[in-house]
């Protein structure tokens, strides 16, 4: 994919349905009893992997003009798959599905592409094993062979890493455990699983006591229905940052998920003086939703220190850090990101992917084990790598619009993992 410097950006780019919410809608509707219609389900490769795994587990799934219809088989109604369950590139699919499969009576094996097979899985196999499942991995990596146990043992589990995927795996396993399963998180992570369980009629305990304690119990009916997935704010962040950096830009994102455990990107842009307007807000499937308008132009900072992003805000913008790094090059005092070592365990080692591509574009950047420091830099077009990572491909597409000359991104088609048609959508708004 080749990109050239843009003059500005205008329009209303259509975003896919939220990826995290789509996965949860499909997985929980599979264990409900009866039919759930999911409107605006993400057509991304990752969310398609979730649907294929559910079909392989005997769940009737139909895709019907932009909606997905799942006929739930109940919490103990999944059937033993004939072959391997292929989660493709999707960390959310493998980790959340492992939580559900840990409490089934049959054995199953979860695998994925080479990127997914290189990512750490011990973080979920440890608590699920404590609950009574037997899981075999290859040195803590997929394929994961799961011998389920029904019922599992309820546990009280303090998250060692701020990760919504680990939290969700344990909570979903808790639906098939004998008693109350509690996960304790010291920093808030996205709470879509909790909200989706509630949408399906289950009660989820939340209590602030030495961290947030989130509890579920078994035996609760899972009631199906009709739900609409909000548009994906993380997908929208590429347009928000592109607009912020391009003078005269005016972008509107409609019906976007604005869950506070995801929306830190909006606060960061506002704090940088970007004109971000929240036009209308509502609620869809127990999730806050809004229309967001972003107009071009970065404000002038009140001091000469680099912007700092670190600490407990990191999990709330973890997927936006590649595009924030591109933004950092345009900030008058640059940007420092710390406490983000989790980025090294994403679809690629994102700290390394960001730093390498920025250096190729002539940026002045220092790499740390847990982040990076970027000095303000005029970017120059270069031949970049996506490293097979959708968010790197899309972040550097925006960098290409800001750079002098031509930028080429090898393997940019991996953007389909979360945003089908990203490059056409981008072309539609660039001027
Ligand atoms: C996700 C959680 C995050 C995020 C990922 C999606 C989810 O991962 O990076 O893209 O849907 O739960 P971790 O929870 O492992 O940080």
């Amino acid at each position: 994919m080749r990109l050239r410097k843009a003059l500005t950006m205008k329009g209303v780019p259509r975003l896919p349905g939220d990826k995290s919410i789509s996965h949860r809608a499909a997985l929980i509707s599979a264990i409900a009893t009866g039919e759930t219609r999911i409107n605006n389900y993400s057509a991304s490769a990752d969310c398609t992997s979730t649907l294929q795994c559910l079909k392989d587990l005997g769940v009737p799934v139909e895709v019907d003009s932009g909606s997905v219809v799942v006929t739930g088989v109940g919490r103990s109604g999944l059937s033993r798959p004939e072959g391997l369950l292929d989660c493709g590139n999707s960390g959310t699919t493998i980790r959340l599905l492992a939580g559900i499969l840990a409490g089934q009576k049959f054995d199953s094996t979860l695998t994925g592409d080479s990127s997914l097979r290189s990512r750490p899985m011990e973080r979920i196999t440890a608590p699920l094993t404590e609950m009574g499942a037997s899981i075999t991995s290859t040195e803590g990596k997929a394929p994961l062979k799961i011998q389920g146990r029904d019922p599992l043992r309820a546990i009280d589990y303090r998250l060692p890493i701020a990760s919504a995927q680990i939290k969700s795996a344990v909570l979903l396993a808790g639906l098939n455990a004998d008693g109350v399963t509690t996960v304790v998180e010291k920093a808030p992570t996205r709470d879509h699983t909790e909200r989706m369980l509630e949408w399906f009629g289950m009660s989820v305990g939340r209590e602030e006591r030495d961290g947030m304690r989130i509890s579920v119990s078994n035996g609760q009916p899972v009631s199906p229905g009709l739900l609409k997935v909000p548009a994906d704010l993380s997908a929208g962040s590429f347009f928000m940052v592109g607009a912020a950096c391009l003078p005269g830009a005016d972008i509107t994102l409609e019906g976007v998920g604005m869950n506070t455990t995801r929306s830190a990107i909006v606060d960061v842009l506002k704090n940088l003086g970007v004109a971000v307007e929240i036009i209308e807000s509502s609620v869809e499937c127990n999730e806050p939703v809004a229309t967001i308008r972003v107009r071009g132009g970065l404000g002038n900072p009140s001091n000469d220190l680099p912007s700092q992003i670190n600490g407990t805000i990191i999990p709330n913008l973890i997927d936006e850090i590649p595009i924030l790094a591109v933004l950092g090059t345009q900030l008058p005092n640059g940007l420092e990101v710390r406490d983000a070592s989790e980025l090294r365990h994403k679809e690629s080692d994102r700290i390394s992917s960001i730093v390498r591509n920025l250096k190729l574009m002539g940026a002045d950047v220092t790499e740390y084990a847990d982040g990076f420091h970027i000095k303000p830099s005029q970017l120059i077009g270069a031949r970049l790598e996506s490293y097979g990572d959708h968010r790197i491909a899309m972040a550097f597409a925006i960098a290409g619009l800001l750079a002098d000359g031509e930028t080429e991104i090898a393997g940019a088609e991996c953007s389909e993992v979360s945003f089908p048609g990203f490059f056409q959508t981008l072309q539609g708004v660039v001027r």
Side-chain angles (χ1 to χ4, degrees):
M1 184 56 61
R2 289 168 197 267
L3 299 122
R4 297 199 73 87
K5 193 169 181 130
L7 280 176
T8 192
M9 201 185 252
K10 282 189 194 296
V12 187
R14 192 172 144 60
L15 304 174
D18 187 272
K19 183 160 84 72
S20 289
I21 298 175
S22 293
H23 284 300
R24 287 152 172 90
L27 291 167
I28 301 173
S29 58
I31 55 167
T33 315
E35 190 178 289
T36 296
R37 177 175 284 270
I38 310 167
N39 289 333
N40 205 33
Y41 186 85
S42 166
S44 64
D46 269 10
C47 293
T48 304
S49 295
T50 290
L51 295 184
Q52 187 55 50
C53 289
L54 292 175
K55 288 183 197 170
D56 293 344
L57 287 159
V59 179
V61 175
E62 271 172 52
V63 180
D64 165 22
S65 56
S67 304
V68 169
V69 180
V70 179
T71 306
V73 293
R75 273 181 296 122
S76 303
L78 300 172
S79 10
R80 182 176 186 277
E82 278 179 10
L84 302 178
L85 294 166
D86 185 359
C87 304
N89 192 243
S90 176
T92 308
T93 307
I94 196 165
R95 296 196 176 111
L96 272 58
L97 197 49
I100 293 176
L101 294 174
Q104 305 296 319
K105 289 204 170 75
F106 52 80
D107 58 296
S108 52
T109 303
L110 291 160
T111 190
D113 67 9
S114 58
S115 154
L116 192 61
R117 282 186 277 111
S118 69
R119 294 176 65 184
M121 294 297 149
E122 206 266 332
R123 51 183 60 196
I124 54 149
T125 60
L128 296 177
T129 304
E130 204 180 315
M131 294 178 85
S134 301
I135 307 183
T136 320
S137 67
T138 312
E139 291 172 10
K141 312 254 163 82
L144 303 178
K145 185 166 189 294
I146 303 181
Q147 176 62 61
R149 176 182 144 133
D150 182 14
L152 290 163
R153 277 190 293 274
I155 57 169
D156 207 286
Y157 192 68
R158 183 166 285 273
L159 288 180
I161 303 163
S163 159
Q165 293 182 350
I166 310 178
K167 170 177 67 174
S168 303
V170 176
L171 291 177
L172 291 170
L175 300 179
N176 275 4
D178 57 357
V180 178
T181 296
T182 302
V183 181
V184 189
E185 58 179 8
K186 47 179 188 273
T189 66
R190 62 192 70 194
D191 65 353
H192 303 306
T193 299
E194 297 90 307
R195 286 168 180 269
M196 191 61 76
L197 290 171
E198 285 170 340
W199 187 87
F200 277 87
M202 285 169 272
S203 72
V204 177
R206 288 182 185 79
E207 188 194 352
E208 181 64 56
R209 179 157 48 93
D210 190 21
M212 179 59 86
R213 302 177 63 83
I214 304 147
S215 308
V216 294
S217 55
N218 71 354
Q220 303 188 61
V222 191
S223 316
L226 167 67
L227 63 81
K228 182 174 174 209
V229 177
D232 196 321
L233 179 64
S234 299
S237 68
F238 302 104
F239 296 92
M240 290 167 64
V241 170
C245 297
L246 289 165
D250 191 348
I251 286 288
T252 299
L253 304 172
E254 291 178 334
V256 187
M258 278 289 284
N259 185 316
T260 52
T261 59
R262 291 279 298 283
S263 61
I265 176 76
V266 174
D267 305 327
V268 167
L269 291 176
K270 281 185 178 167
N271 288 340
L272 289 169
V274 178
V276 182
E277 222 182 308
I278 308 298
I279 301 170
E280 307 170 331
S281 36
S282 61
V283 175
E284 296 277 7
C285 72
N286 208 20
E287 292 279 351
V289 171
T291 290
I292 306 172
R293 181 176 180 197
V294 182
R295 273 169 293 168
L298 294 162
N300 281 325
S302 52
N303 57 40
D304 56 4
L305 297 171
S307 295
Q308 305 272 343
I309 300 182
N310 53 33
T312 54
I313 196 179
I314 293 289
N316 300 156
L317 42 63
I318 190 77
D319 292 340
E320 286 65 74
I321 292 177
I323 189 61
L324 282 171
V326 173
L327 174 71
T329 64
Q330 309 300 303
L331 299 176
N333 303 323
L335 172 73
E336 183 166 285
V337 172
R338 301 303 292 262
D339 303 323
S341 56
E342 266 300 295
L343 287 176
R344 296 205 181 268
H345 306 296
K346 298 293 177 187
E347 287 81 332
S348 70
D349 172 343
R350 284 190 178 152
I351 294 179
S352 154
S353 306
I354 288 167
V355 169
R356 284 201 228 176
N357 278 340
L358 283 180
K359 282 191 172 161
L360 286 170
M361 298 185 92
D364 186 344
V365 44
T366 308
E367 177 169 353
Y368 304 118
D370 65 345
F372 46 79
H373 182 123
I374 301 167
K375 294 206 174 133
S377 315
Q378 175 51 47
L379 298 175
I380 36 177
R383 192 168 193 287
L384 308 175
E385 270 296 328
S386 69
Y387 297 99
D389 183 332
H390 54 126
R391 296 202 199 277
I392 296 297
M394 293 187 280
F396 282 90
I398 302 299
L401 303 180
L402 307 176
D404 290 334
E406 189 179 78
T407 296
E408 190 179 344
I409 306 172
E413 62 282 355
C414 65
S415 56
E416 302 282 309
V417 159
S418 64
F419 196 150
F422 169 75
F423 284 97
Q424 289 102 296
T425 307
L426 187 60
Q427 228 167 28
V429 294
V430 167
R431 303 283 183 267

